[in-house]
Amino acid sequence: AQSVTQPDIHITVSEGASLELRCNYSYGATPYLFWYVQSPGQGLQLLLKYFSGDTLVQGIKGFEAEFKRSQSSFNLRKPSVHWSDAAEYFCAVGARDRGSTLGRLYFGRGTQLTVWP
Amino acid sequence: SAVISQKPSRDICQRGTSLTIQCQVDSQVTMMFWYRQQPGQSLTLIATANQGSEATYESGFVIDKFPISRPNLTFSTLTVSNLSPEDSSIYLCSGWTGVAAGELFFGEGSRLTVL
């Protein structure tokens, strides 16, 4: 079964600083990987996804993530954080093997990002 | 992007009653799912809503407590039965747009409070 670990419950950074949110997954093969953001009182928005190909993926709002198979990781990065990036970030994994239901995603517990002015 | 509409957006219910949440998606969606997000927690997959047949439930979720219907491609309902305060959560409907687009879209959620 798939599982996702986000080891950092809460991260605080200063505006303009760089950011890295960690995500590790457990899955028998290469999964589909996603990062979602949830702002207070808002729905979930997809930041980026990895299906195959280039292991460095670019997303919206200046975010990127790198898939590292050897480390079973899919860490989210942003070179310069803006105050509007304060939100909850969720990493998710989906199965891609034959017979699995595509779109059935499993989420990590989330990382709350606070941005200091 | 896919459009997913849920209603009600919020409700307050008494213990022992039931609440039915409706979800309408646009035609881009191939698969539909229901998630639960308990206060301060992550999203937990409840079930896959299958068109015209019984939903496929995840471990820990049963049909008697969370009956789900999906009579057609674009509409699904989730009922939370025999409510208890532990059922107070946000319930989210989601739709998958297929591998080509490869995105799981979410509705705004239905916030349930059980007294």
Side-chain angles (χ1 to χ4, degrees):
Chain A
Q2 304 94 334
S3 67
V4 180
T5 302
Q6 292 180 249
D8 303 306
I9 297 175
H10 194 182
I11 284 184
T12 301
V13 299
S14 298
E15 192 170 18
S18 63
L19 172 70
E20 182 170 34
L21 303 182
R22 295 183 290 166
C23 173
N24 292 94
Y25 68 89
S26 173
Y27 185 59
T30 302
Y32 296 125
L33 294 162
F34 305 80
W35 275 98
Y36 282 85
V37 60
Q38 186 177 40
S39 298
Q42 303 293 312
L44 282 144
Q45 182 180 24
L46 179 69
L47 284 175
L48 47 78
K49 61 192 178 189
Y50 173 78
F51 282 10
S52 64
D54 193 345
T55 56
L56 182 63
V57 294
Q58 303 296 320
I60 62 171
K61 304 184 180 186
F63 285 93
E64 66 178 27
E66 185 171 13
F67 168 60
K68 293 185 177 180
R69 184 193 306 273
S70 61
Q71 299 177 20
S72 297
S73 69
F74 189 57
N75 294 347
L76 181 72
R77 300 193 294 251
K78 186 169 185 179
S80 178
V81 170
H82 188 263
W83 64 266
S84 61
D85 293 324
E88 184 109 31
Y89 291 80
F90 293 97
C91 181
V93 61
R96 62 187 301 166
D97 51 299
R98 188 184 298 273
S100 294
T101 300
L102 296 178
R104 190 162 151 246
L105 301 189
Y106 297 90
F107 285 76
R109 64 179 175 180
T111 298
Q112 180 68 47
L113 174 65
T114 298
V115 181
W116 283 358
Chain B
S1 61
V3 177
I4 300 181
S5 303
Q6 271 184 249
K7 60 180 180 182
S9 58
R10 60 178 63 232
D11 207 341
I12 300 173
C13 299
Q14 296 296 319
R15 185 195 299 257
T17 63
S18 298
L19 175 71
T20 295
I21 302 166
Q22 298 180 3
C23 178
Q24 181 75 48
V25 304
D26 68 22
S27 58
Q28 299 179 62
V29 168
T30 58
M31 304 292 297
M32 292 181 71
F33 305 89
W34 287 96
Y35 284 82
R36 179 176 72 183
Q37 187 175 24
Q38 294 176 300
Q41 302 295 317
S42 184
L43 286 81
T44 302
L45 180 61
I46 297 173
T48 303
N50 299 310
Q51 182 193 357
S53 64
E54 189 173 294
T56 305
Y57 290 86
E58 298 295 311
S59 176
F61 296 94
V62 296
I63 187 170
D64 290 346
K65 178 67 175 177
F66 299 99
I68 290 170
S69 77
R70 188 182 175 190
N72 56 54
L73 266 178
T74 61
F75 184 78
S76 178
T77 66
L78 166 71
T79 299
V80 189
S81 303
N82 190 23
L83 290 168
S84 68
E86 293 71 37
D87 296 318
S88 296
S89 289
I90 298 173
Y91 293 87
L92 296 121
C93 175
S94 64
W96 172 255
T97 55
V99 177
E103 183 166 346
L104 189 67
F105 288 92
F106 287 85
E108 292 294 317
S110 299
R111 183 182 294 273
L112 168 62
T113 301
V114 183
L115 302 178

